[in-house]
Amino acid sequence: MKEGDDTTTRYAILSHRWGADSEVDYEEMIGLMKMEEGEREEVRQRHGYQKIIKSCEQATKDGYEWLWVDTCCIDKRSSAELSEAINSMYRWYQNARVCYACLSDISESTFPTKEDVKRFEKSNGWPEWFVRGWTLQELIAPKEVQFFNKDWVHIGNKRHLAPVLARITGIPREVLTGGVAGKRLSVAQIMSWAAERKTTRVEDRAYSLMGLFGVNMPMLYGEGKKAFRRLQLEIIREYSDQSIFAW
């Protein structure tokens, strides 16, 4: 996305859990037509590719010409582009007309309304999308979030599901439906929403919260837990909120 495009372009955006080896990255996507047939077919058979195709079909059906997907729209070979993307991510989700949230561990055509520890043993009794670090901002930032199951059957939207989403996440309904802007929220309260969430990279526990606090900082993958200390320093510079020390 070029600077400014996200404020003038009508686009949809995807929120999803990453598969370990199934995602299609920027380099593979732009090089698809230059691949040998066998290699191209291998990429097309991946779950990550099918996810892109299904979300494109949904965007087209909803009248959108553009769709943004993190796996294949960021050239991660460029550290500068990756850093810019992560610092801009919250804004991109906020400015999207609709966010498609793919819950790949749900096969039913209805959204789960009761905790099921036996079924979702590794994710506190709810679909795994709700315990990932990056999906916190992807739930809060967009005005409209539409939920789909693993077969891309529509199972609800954020506004109508706000009561159950509040119960799952601990996020107040008014934040779910109206975002964080203008709300009297303490730093500790926002931090609490992320307490049980997990990220693959240690640093992403900090990086995935920057947008919620409206702070920016350079990406330094490899710094480990220092990333969270840097985040706290940036928050202290931005807010006169003593609750961060309680956290």
Side-chain angles (χ1 to χ4, degrees):
M1 243 180 239
K2 292 190 178 80
E3 187 178 354
D5 281 2
D6 58 295
T7 61
T8 57
T9 303
R10 293 180 74 256
Y11 64 96
I13 200 164
L14 177 66
S15 174
H16 62 114
R17 285 166 45 213
W18 280 41
D21 302 308
S22 68
E23 303 303 341
V24 179
D25 63 21
Y26 173 87
E27 189 174 7
E28 288 175 314
M29 187 60 79
I30 62 170
L32 201 62
M33 298 313 296
K34 297 176 184 176
M35 294 178 183
E36 297 291 335
E37 183 58 37
E39 188 181 3
R40 184 160 63 238
E41 190 57 29
E42 184 277 322
V43 171
R44 285 174 170 166
Q45 291 302 318
R46 287 188 215 162
H47 174 68
Y49 184 82
Q50 293 302 315
K51 189 163 47 180
I52 294 167
I53 294 299
K54 290 292 185 181
S55 52
C56 282
E57 289 173 353
Q58 186 64 45
T60 301
K61 180 180 175 183
D62 292 341
Y64 296 102
E65 192 175 348
W66 300 99
L67 170 77
W68 192 88
V69 183
D70 56 357
T71 51
C72 63
C73 290
I74 304 170
D75 186 356
K76 298 176 187 69
R77 297 169 300 179
S78 165
S79 58
E81 181 170 336
L82 179 60
S83 183
E84 180 185 0
I86 290 177
N87 275 280
S88 305
M89 198 76 71
Y90 188 89
R91 192 187 79 233
W92 290 348
Y93 277 90
Q94 189 176 43
N95 288 339
R97 295 300 178 95
V98 62
C99 173
Y100 302 136
C102 177
L103 307 187
S104 57
D105 48 1
I106 294 180
S107 54
E108 294 81 6
S109 57
T110 55
F111 191 94
T113 55
K114 292 183 179 178
E115 187 177 356
D116 190 340
V117 178
K118 188 174 181 181
R119 182 180 173 194
F120 303 112
E121 182 182 359
K122 296 179 180 178
S123 49
N124 303 330
W126 297 101
E128 194 175 353
W129 189 87
F130 290 101
V131 297
R132 302 306 299 172
W134 288 102
T135 56
L136 175 60
Q137 66 172 10
E138 294 163 13
L139 172 63
I140 294 173
K143 294 179 183 68
E144 183 179 356
V145 179
Q146 299 288 345
F147 292 95
F148 295 84
N149 72 5
K150 70 181 186 68
D151 299 314
W152 279 86
V153 173
H154 185 256
I155 56 174
N157 65 63
K158 180 169 71 166
R159 187 163 293 278
H160 291 145
L161 291 169
V164 68
L165 294 174
R167 199 163 74 246
I168 295 170
T169 62
I171 302 168
R173 290 191 207 180
E174 60 269 22
V175 174
L176 288 167
T177 55
V180 294
K183 308 292 190 302
R184 295 176 65 86
L185 300 165
S186 70
V187 170
Q189 186 177 4
I190 297 172
M191 286 284 192
S192 72
W193 304 337
E196 300 298 320
R197 290 178 178 256
K198 306 177 184 77
T199 58
T200 304
R201 301 287 294 267
V202 174
E203 297 88 349
D204 284 336
R205 280 184 63 80
Y207 300 161
S208 62
L209 293 174
M210 293 191 302
L212 282 167
F213 290 107
V215 300
N216 298 95
M217 60 188 199
M219 305 299 96
L220 298 171
Y221 280 106
E223 67 176 326
K225 293 180 180 178
K226 290 179 182 178
F228 208 87
R229 289 202 290 273
R230 284 202 298 129
L231 174 68
Q232 289 174 308
L233 288 171
E234 291 299 327
I235 292 170
I236 289 167
R237 289 192 185 101
E238 189 74 22
Y239 300 92
S240 56
D241 183 348
Q242 299 299 312
S243 72
I244 190 171
F245 298 110
W247 179 259

